[in-house]
Amino acid sequence: MSERGTEIVSVVDDDASLRRSVRNLLMSVGFQVQAFASAEEFLESPQRANTGCLVLDLRLAGMNGLDLLKHLGATGSGIPVIILTAHGDDEVRQRALQAGAVALLGKPFRGDALLDAVRTALHR
Amino acid sequence: MKLGHVGLHTKLMLALALLVAVVAGGSAHFVVEHERERRLHELERRTERIAEVFSRALAQPLWDMDRKAIDTQLAARFPDPEVVEVSVTSIDRGPMSIVAGARGPDPTGEIVRVRPIRYAASVDAPALTIGEVRVVLTRAVAERTIAGARRAILALTAGVVATLYAATFVLFKRLVRRPIDRLEEMVDRIAGGDLDARCPVTSGDELGRLAGRVNAMADRLRDSTARLRESERKYRGIFENALEGIFQLDRAGRLRDANPAMARLVGHVTPSELISAINGPHSVGLFTRTQTDALFETLASKGEIAGVELELTRLDGSPIWVQLNARGVGGPDGETACLEGLLTDITSRKQAETALHQTQTELAHATRMTTLGELAASIAHEINQPLGAIVADTTAAINWLATDHPDLDSVREALAAVVKDGHRAADVIQRIRDFARKTDPRKARLDANDVVRDVVPLVRTEILRHGVSLRTELAAALPSVMGDRVQLQQVVLNLIVNGIEAMSSVGDRPRELVIRSRRHEGDQVLVAVQDSGIGIDPTSLDQLFDAFFTTKPSGMGMGLSIARSIVESHGGRLWAAPNADHGATFQFALPSVP
């Protein structure tokens, strides 16, 4: 299956191998992917406007994922955000959802779960 | 000018000679003159007498005109050396007889006396002047005699003066000069440094007393010099041998003085080397300009410098930390001219402080890591990253392979990454194991009480923060155990922090933590940590020590499982039991060694 769309999926994670592997995974089903090593990099990128969905790790160097989420919510970007996190606890889940995340996946995540979440987000 | 250096003796002798000469000379002259006058006077009278005698004796012969008789009479007198001429003159006939000696002009003068010659024919006839007699005597003889006398007296006087002089010379030499010379010599020796020289006191007179006084003065000088030397020696000893650097610095940054320790501190061999290096033309100075100014300012405002810590640079460029205590030494105008200071090298102390601080930070960090959820979160993160990447890459590979024309290069790349991530995860596991053990337990003979005492200060802040009261009841004669000190510290630390956390929600009763140690079952040592917290559910007693088991809302539950594995690797046992009233007691037993 290949998903053609003009929208890009942006991945923000400070871990290089995770960044690369998520990009591979998304590309393997046909998404167009941009990967960023930090929240700042993403915010400064011109591709931001084309982002249809953001896959975001909570724990980042520099501005952390939660703050980026809140920033996007405050600026009314409307980009659906999928959170990846090692913290499995409810408190984090609550906070992320309150800040506007559409989905929260614990690490290690299941591949199909991520793909489903991205598809859902893009078709919103 | 020589005149001033004429000796006492010489002066005295000259004065004496002069005096005696004047006195003796004067007296002699007086005596001589007096005698001369008398003599001359006597001569005149003699002349008169002779004339008188002749005037009578020649009366008859002249009347008789007996020339022969007259001559005889005259001649009788003539052998007298003083008689120069006797002449008889008749009134009628003129000169009758002259007896004269050959004479030249007489410089001394003559005495002339003329007497009339009278004749009386009979006793009662009147005396008729029939002629005169003229007697001339010369002074020459008298004068010669006087001259002789004068010479004699002069000689005598000279002799007396010379004898007096010689006698005085000798006396003076013996009584005065010799003692004075000896005194002079001794004083010179004393002044030259021989403080044991003493003047011999050989008489009770003024010189003797002076000698005594000089000796007394020499005694006092010797004593005070000895005291001064002793004092100097004492302080010189301190200065030379002090371990601290002692130095004097002036406002311009020049070193006035330094002791050997100061030189060594900076890296020179001798103080003179140090001083010439610091004061020399290419010197960088001992302190920087700023430091020097600041030091003098402190002296001006506080009057002293106490415990100031400074960083200096040694000769070889290496930095050292020193502590300075100093005072100001005033100059002639009252201002502080220079700084006298004591420098102590505190480099090793500073290094130890830094090392201690670092160790404390590391230990605190390690403490956090073993007991709080941060360890759990960081482990989770470290493993989840590779696992997540593995899942994503393999799913991607499967997806790619499922297409009609699989992008095999990407598949290969993805699978290669999977291998790498697998290794990464394995490394993390290994690191966790290593951390739990840190190294192979380095077993040494330990006192379990010491381990507890080591740990207590580390948790003091936590204890205070949580309002916990900590009590230790450690057995006095606890046998030793063989163990790795750091690991056992970790165990105790973990149990304590667990206990604190168990009490963190307790509000209605005091939060008490008690640590006990005692012998256990004969051959073991027991350490127990009892809290008054929320206690343990009896059903989960065993699960407590399982890895990842936790009843805490946050945290991964690693601490107790690591603690148990440490205790077990020491041949011991770690278990927990609920307390009768509140809370739980966690305890471990280790085999003791004899």
Side-chain angles (χ1 to χ4, degrees), chain A residues 41-55:
Chain A
E41 229 185 273
F42 169 70
L43 287 172
E44 284 160 24
S45 144
Q47 302 298 335
R48 185 181 150 182
N50 296 335
T51 300
C53 164
L54 178 61
V55 176

Side-chain angles (χ1 to χ4, degrees), chain B residues 320-387:
Chain B
I320 49 165
W321 276 93
V322 293
Q323 188 184 61
L324 175 67
N325 290 324
R327 67 180 189 110
V329 176
D333 51 358
E335 213 184 57
T336 304
C338 86
L339 178 153
E340 207 170 71
L342 209 73
L343 273 187
T344 315
D345 187 342
I346 54 170
T347 311
S348 37
R349 200 226 313 149
K350 275 276 178 197
Q351 284 170 346
E353 278 173 16
T354 320
L356 180 65
H357 184 76
Q358 218 164 325
T359 311
Q360 282 175 334
T361 316
E362 276 174 26
L363 189 58
H365 182 74
T367 308
R368 274 205 312 273
M369 292 298 283
T370 48
T371 58
L372 299 179
E374 285 199 28
L375 174 64
S378 100
I379 291 173
H381 183 81
E382 299 248 9
I383 295 189
N384 284 337
Q385 301 296 82
L387 281 182

Side-chain angles (χ1 to χ4, degrees), chain B residues 239-441:
Chain B
F239 186 80
E240 291 294 323
N241 298 319
L243 293 176
E244 299 82 3
I246 306 177
F247 69 100
Q248 264 200 1
L249 188 81
D250 67 14
R251 273 188 185 271
R254 293 173 61 84
L255 262 188
R256 294 248 203 99
D257 198 5
N259 73 340
M262 184 74 190
R264 283 196 299 271
L265 209 73
V266 181
H268 287 271
V269 179
T270 64
S272 48
E273 216 184 89
L274 171 68
I275 291 176
S276 46
I278 296 292
N279 295 345
H282 305 294
S283 154
V284 294
L286 183 63
F287 302 103
T288 63
R289 187 71 250 166
T290 333
Q291 280 173 327
T292 312
D293 289 338
L295 289 175
F296 273 95
E297 239 182 71
T298 314
L299 276 182
S301 58
K302 292 213 197 117
E304 64 173 20
I305 292 173
V308 167
E309 294 184 358
L310 294 165
E311 199 178 351
L312 297 182
T313 313
R314 284 176 59 113
L315 182 65
D316 56 9
S318 57
I320 49 165
W321 276 93
V322 293
Q323 188 184 61
L324 175 67
N325 290 324
R327 67 180 189 110
V329 176
D333 51 358
E335 213 184 57
T336 304
C338 86
L339 178 153
E340 207 170 71
L342 209 73
L343 273 187
T344 315
D345 187 342
I346 54 170
T347 311
S348 37
R349 200 226 313 149
K350 275 276 178 197
Q351 284 170 346
E353 278 173 16
T354 320
L356 180 65
H357 184 76
Q358 218 164 325
T359 311
Q360 282 175 334
T361 316
E362 276 174 26
L363 189 58
H365 182 74
T367 308
R368 274 205 312 273
M369 292 298 283
T370 48
T371 58
L372 299 179
E374 285 199 28
L375 174 64
S378 100
I379 291 173
H381 183 81
E382 299 248 9
I383 295 189
N384 284 337
Q385 301 296 82
L387 281 182
I390 289 171
V391 165
D393 275 326
T394 43
T395 314
I398 293 173
N399 289 342
W400 273 319
L401 288 174
T403 60
D404 300 326
H405 301 284
D407 180 357
L408 288 178
D409 288 329
S410 294
V411 168
R412 261 190 288 272
E413 247 185 70
L415 291 178
V418 163
V419 173
K420 268 206 344 228
D421 286 320
H423 289 151
R424 213 173 112 190
D427 284 343
V428 171
I429 304 288
Q430 184 59 39
R431 265 197 291 133
I432 296 172
R433 278 218 195 87
D434 284 348
F435 184 74
R437 255 181 231 120
K438 203 61 194 173
T439 47
D440 282 333

